[in-house]
């Protein structure tokens, strides 16, 4: 995508290594501007008569005046993160809420509590909270503050204060009613372009995700086969005195190749696969945000049509339309600002991820 070059602050005439480029390229919000630091670590298993689950320690350090203390430490389980995400979506329907890793339901319970799975999820939860903390609007959400500071029983009590069943059903019915009205008539061109961009982005990022998983699978199969050849040559050298040194040398080379391949696989699993999958989830989130914006626009359009067809109650309709116009304008402005920010971060993530993969490949072939 040639648009990626637009955010490159470096002169093409100056040769720079991939790693130095990554180090120099920074987010718009440098660490010196941040006043909220969050760490997710120390996963802990809990076994009860009803269920088995993992909690993670969430440590928050802040200099913000609205917090009563400068440091908090709480424990949260995956369901708490899901609750936070749903509250953010509810409060900010046209902002881009960062994705959470999906709830693990494949390959049975044993795999779900493996060290590798827990470590992967811990990193994803850490990134989720820090993306919210770096967001100019979401970071000041009251539910986010409660998530970071409340003890388990306080959070449980706060969750119960949410909207009742009838209220939630009403919201669902309205959302469904809005979604089946058909195409939005007066959608601004900018949001049509966003929609088209996301459809293409979704196709490409899903394809990249599949290709990356296939490469990793092939690399693992190659590694498992190669791993068997080193010991075979060592055993062979014991029965062939004349070429024993050569056979041992080959066994040593194979062993070094195995280590290099293992390092390369670790780079793929730690840096490439998680980023690509995160943006697969982001593509679904963006399509949902655009749809919610269209629903607000559709509600306004239907009121305008109703006003044109009614001779009475014009004052009431005009007031409702005024409120809906304000709502549409707020939704549009929120999404436009978030879209630019998301795109910049996405381009930075893609650039640094693929540069990292390229640099790892160079090191691999040198080794």
């Amino acid at each position: 995508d040639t648009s990626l070059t637009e955010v490159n602050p470096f002169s093409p005439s100056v040769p720079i290594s991939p790693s130095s480029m990554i180090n120099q390229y920074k987010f718009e919000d440098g660490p010196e501007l941040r006043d909220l630091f969050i760490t997710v670590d120390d996963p802990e298993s809990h076994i009860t008569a009803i269920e088995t689950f993992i909690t993670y320690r969430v440590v928050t350090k802040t200099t913000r005046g609205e917090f009563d203390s400068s440091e908090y430490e709480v424990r949260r389980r995956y369901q708490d993160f899901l609750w936070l995400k749903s509250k953010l979506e509810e409060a900010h329907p046209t902002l881009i809420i960062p994705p959470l890793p999906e709830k693990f339901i494949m390959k049975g319970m044993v795999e779900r509590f493996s060290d590798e799975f827990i470590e992967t999820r811990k990193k994803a939860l850490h990134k989720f909270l820090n993306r919210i903390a770096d967001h100019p609007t979401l970071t000041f959400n009251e539910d986010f503050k409660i998530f970071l500071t409340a003890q388990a029983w306080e959070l449980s009590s706060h969750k119960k204060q949410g909207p009742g069943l009838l209220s939630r059903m009403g919201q669902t019915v309205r959302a469904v009613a809005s979604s089946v009205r058909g195409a939005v008539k007066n959608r601004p061109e900018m949001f049509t372009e966003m929609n088209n961009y996301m459809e293409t982005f979704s196709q490409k990022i899903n394809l990249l995700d599949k290709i990356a998983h296939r490469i990793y699978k092939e690399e693992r199969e190659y590694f498992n086969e190669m791993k068997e050849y080193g010991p075979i040559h060592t055993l062979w050298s014991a029965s062939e005195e004349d070429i024993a040194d050569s056979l041992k040398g080959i066994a040593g080379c194979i062993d070094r190749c195995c280590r290099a391949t293992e390092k390369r696989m670790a780079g793929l699993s730690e840096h490439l696969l998680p980023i690509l999958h995160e943006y697969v989830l982001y593509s679904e989130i963006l399509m949902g945000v655009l749809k919610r914006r269209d629903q607000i626009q559709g509600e306004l359009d239907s009121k305008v049509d109703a006003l044109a067809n009614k001779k009475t109650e014009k004052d009431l309709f005009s007031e409702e339309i005024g409120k809906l116009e304000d709502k549409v304008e707020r939704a549009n402005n929120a999404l436009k600002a978030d879209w630019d920010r998301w795109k910049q971060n996405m381009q930075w993530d893609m650039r640094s991820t693929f540069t990292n993969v390229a640099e790892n490949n160079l090191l691999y072939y040198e080794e």
Side-chain angles (χ1 to χ4, degrees):
D1 183 351
T2 53
S3 67
L4 293 181
T5 58
E6 294 168 9
V7 292
N8 186 1
F10 310 109
S11 166
S13 62
V14 182
I16 49 173
S17 71
S19 59
S20 65
M21 184 179 78
I22 292 170
N23 290 335
Q24 290 179 57
Y25 199 91
K26 292 183 179 180
F27 281 106
E28 55 187 338
D29 300 326
E32 66 278 0
L33 302 176
R34 291 181 63 187
D35 55 8
L36 186 64
F37 298 87
I38 304 167
T39 306
V40 178
D41 60 12
D42 190 26
E44 194 176 283
S45 295
H46 301 264
I47 301 170
T48 69
I50 302 170
E51 61 179 339
T52 300
F53 59 92
I54 309 290
T55 62
Y56 302 85
R57 181 173 65 174
V58 178
V59 177
T60 304
K61 296 182 181 180
T62 183
T63 56
R64 289 186 187 172
E66 65 265 29
F67 286 82
D68 296 330
S69 174
S70 61
E71 188 168 339
Y72 295 87
E73 182 178 315
V74 295
R75 296 204 72 87
R76 297 287 181 255
R77 55 186 296 185
Y78 180 75
Q79 288 180 358
D80 299 326
F81 287 86
L82 277 179
W83 169 82
L84 174 61
K85 184 171 184 288
S86 69
K87 295 298 286 184
L88 292 173
E89 287 172 346
E90 185 184 305
H92 310 281
T94 55
L95 288 182
I96 302 166
I97 312 301
L100 269 176
E102 303 99 324
K103 191 167 179 65
F104 195 81
I105 54 173
M106 305 294 284
K107 299 182 185 175
M109 293 295 286
V110 176
E111 186 74 15
R112 180 183 164 197
F113 295 109
S114 70
D115 291 343
E116 186 181 359
F117 170 75
I118 292 169
E119 181 64 20
T120 302
R121 171 164 282 184
K122 183 192 77 175
K123 288 178 180 176
L125 296 176
H126 175 87
K127 181 178 275 190
F128 169 73
L129 292 183
N130 279 278
R131 285 205 188 277
I132 295 170
D134 289 339
H135 193 283
T137 303
L138 300 177
T139 188
F140 297 107
N141 178 276
E142 187 62 26
D143 289 308
F144 181 48
K145 179 186 170 187
I146 288 166
F147 177 91
L148 296 177
T149 60
Q151 292 305 311
W153 64 270
E154 293 175 305
L155 182 65
S156 180
S157 174
H158 181 73
K159 283 182 183 180
K160 291 171 185 174
Q161 296 171 14
L165 177 62
L166 291 175
S167 171
R168 290 200 300 272
M169 282 176 63
Q171 291 167 7
T172 305
V173 169
R174 282 198 298 276
V176 171
S178 300
S179 64
V180 297
R181 281 180 186 143
V184 179
K185 291 186 298 183
N186 300 316
R187 179 202 278 161
E189 182 64 26
M190 173 186 289
F191 298 107
T192 300
E193 289 173 6
M194 281 187 194
N195 210 67
N196 294 339
Y197 182 99
M198 284 315 302
E199 285 178 2
T200 306
F201 179 83
S202 179
Q203 291 169 4
K204 290 186 177 182
I205 201 72
N206 274 281
L207 182 61
L208 281 169
D209 189 49
K210 287 176 185 172
I211 291 169
H213 275 91
R214 192 174 74 223
I215 289 171
Y216 182 79
K217 181 171 176 283
E218 290 172 359
E219 199 81 4
R220 179 168 284 285
E221 288 170 357
Y222 170 65
F223 170 74
N224 289 337
E225 284 186 24
M226 187 166 54
K227 205 165 53 170
E228 297 174 8
Y229 286 104
I232 287 171
H233 282 76
T234 303
L235 288 170
W236 187 7
S237 68
S239 58
E240 296 278 1
E241 288 184 15
D242 293 345
I243 55 171
D245 289 344
S246 298
L247 291 171
K248 285 177 183 175
I250 291 171
C253 288
I254 292 171
D255 185 51
R256 288 199 296 279
C257 286
C258 277
R259 288 200 298 272
T261 304
E262 196 168 23
K263 201 191 302 180
R264 188 191 196 189
M265 283 163 49
L268 289 172
S269 66
E270 288 174 22
H271 303 296
L272 179 65
L273 298 179
I275 286 288
L276 290 179
H277 191 64
E278 182 183 20
Y279 279 95
V280 167
L281 298 177
Y282 256 129
S283 70
E284 296 168 6
I285 287 167
L286 261 295
M287 294 302 280
V289 169
L290 287 164
K291 190 173 182 181
R292 287 195 289 274
R293 194 222 70 87
D294 282 354
Q295 286 169 358
I296 297 169
Q297 178 87 53
E299 198 176 346
L300 172 61
D301 292 346
S302 68
K303 289 287 182 187
V304 171
D305 289 345
L307 178 62
N309 297 329
K310 282 204 174 225
K311 294 179 182 177
T312 58
E313 302 177 4
K314 280 200 171 184
D315 290 343
L316 180 63
F317 266 93
S318 297
E319 187 181 338
E320 285 187 29
I321 286 170
K323 288 178 181 175
L324 281 170
E325 284 173 342
D326 289 343
K327 190 175 178 183
V328 169
E329 188 176 357
R330 285 198 304 273
N332 289 350
N333 291 337
L335 180 50
K336 276 190 283 190
D338 232 17
W339 172 262
D340 291 339
R341 189 176 183 281
W342 175 81
K343 216 170 166 187
Q344 182 181 347
N345 286 350
M346 179 271 289
Q347 290 171 349
W348 189 91
D349 280 343
M350 290 297 151
R351 178 196 299 277
S352 59
T353 297
F354 284 110
T355 304
N356 181 275
V357 170
E359 198 165 50
N360 283 344
N361 284 346
L362 288 171
L363 292 172
Y364 167 78
Y365 284 112
E366 283 171 3
E367 285 182 31

